[in-house]
Amino acid sequence: MTQRLAGTVALVTGASSGIGEATAVQLAAEGAAVAVVARRRDRLDDLVRRIEAEGGRALAIESDVTDGEQARAAVAQTVEGLGRLDTLVNNAGVMLLGPMEAAPVEEWQRMVELNVLGLMYCTHAALPHLLAAAEDSPRRVADVVNISSVAGRVARAGSGVYNATKFGVGAFSEGLR
Ligand SMILES: NC(=O)c1ccc[n+]([C@@H]2O[C@H](COP(=O)([O-])OP(=O)(O)OC[C@H]3O[C@@H](n4cnc5c(N)ncnc54)[C@H](OP(=O)(O)O)[C@@H]3O)[C@@H](O)[C@H]2O)c1
């Protein structure tokens, strides 16, 4: 590894499994200190141990990012524990499929609250720290990485609400850029 991210700090949401977990491992391998955020504490602790065993630095933060206060606290704990924030990876997301007719509306709420609002809460809380990092880092840059999907570009029957959330991620990202 090139350690291109040495001296930087990243926060990855949904780091207790899948793409988020793999991203956290890769960021740490590139030299970033990584705050790993999700609800399942045991899986986060295990991930921190694995990153540390490889010589990296990581911090487990148990948080439900659909709660604005918890999202803000996760960002605050990252800055308090690791010193700064250069990279936010908004990865936590859920895909619940099925026909719209007679769909359980609570599934729609779960997707909107996590895929859209959770991502927005984390971004809002992180922005001041990211802007400060871009000002003072040698790289002169900070990053927000929002994990969308092919489903954020093409809508299909059976995934309309997931599509709506991921199209929303694209729109929010473009507005932010
Ligand atoms: N897998 C694919 O083929 C694919 C394709 C395109 C896009 N994506 C997108 O990629 C992202 C990751 O997908 P994945 O397949 O890696 O999913 P995954 O393995 O199910 O991981 C989802 C992560 O989100 C976390 N999470 C769920 N609810 C949360 C909450 N309220 N607060 C904080 N964290 C929460 C989960 O951790 P806890 O349960 O511990 O909280 C878990 O770490 C999603 O945004 C998904 O839409 C995936």
Side-chain angles (χ1 to χ4, degrees):
M1 282 295 161
T2 55
Q3 296 276 302
R4 284 177 298 177
L5 299 177
T8 73
V9 173
L11 185 165
V12 182
T13 69
S16 62
S17 65
I19 293 169
E21 179 180 352
T23 301
V25 167
Q26 197 69 21
L27 286 165
E30 287 287 359
V34 187
V36 292
V37 176
R39 295 166 304 174
R40 285 172 293 175
R41 179 80 204 202
D42 53 333
R43 294 185 63 96
L44 295 177
D45 287 339
D46 178 62
L47 175 60
V48 167
R49 277 192 290 274
R50 279 185 284 135
I51 288 173
E52 288 176 346
E54 293 295 320
R57 189 169 169 221
L59 175 68
I61 299 175
E62 186 180 330
S63 172
D64 179 343
V65 298
T66 64
D67 177 321
E69 279 305 320
Q70 290 190 44
R72 268 189 288 284
V75 170
Q77 282 174 57
T78 300
V79 174
E80 199 180 303
L82 299 175
R84 53 189 292 120
L85 180 59
D86 302 85
T87 306
L88 170 66
V89 182
N90 280 312
N91 162 79
V94 65
M95 177 175 72
L96 304 167
L97 305 177
M100 289 187 188
E101 191 183 4
V105 168
E106 59 274 16
E107 291 191 354
W108 296 5
Q109 287 170 333
R110 274 183 65 198
M111 283 190 280
V112 171
E113 285 173 3
L114 180 60
N115 302 4
V116 184
L117 278 173
L119 174 146
M120 290 177 176
Y121 295 147
C122 291
T123 304
H124 184 259
L127 269 179
H129 304 291
L130 294 169
L131 291 169
E135 281 290 316
D136 76 8
S137 80
R139 297 190 312 146
R140 308 290 296 175
V141 71
D143 297 293
V144 178
V145 180
N146 290 333
I147 305 298
S148 178
S149 170
V150 172
R153 298 185 182 273
V154 183
R156 295 191 195 287
S159 60
V161 179
Y162 182 66
N163 290 130
T165 66
K166 292 301 188 180
F167 273 68
V169 168
F172 179 73
S173 305
E174 184 61 13
L176 180 67
R177 183 183 71 79

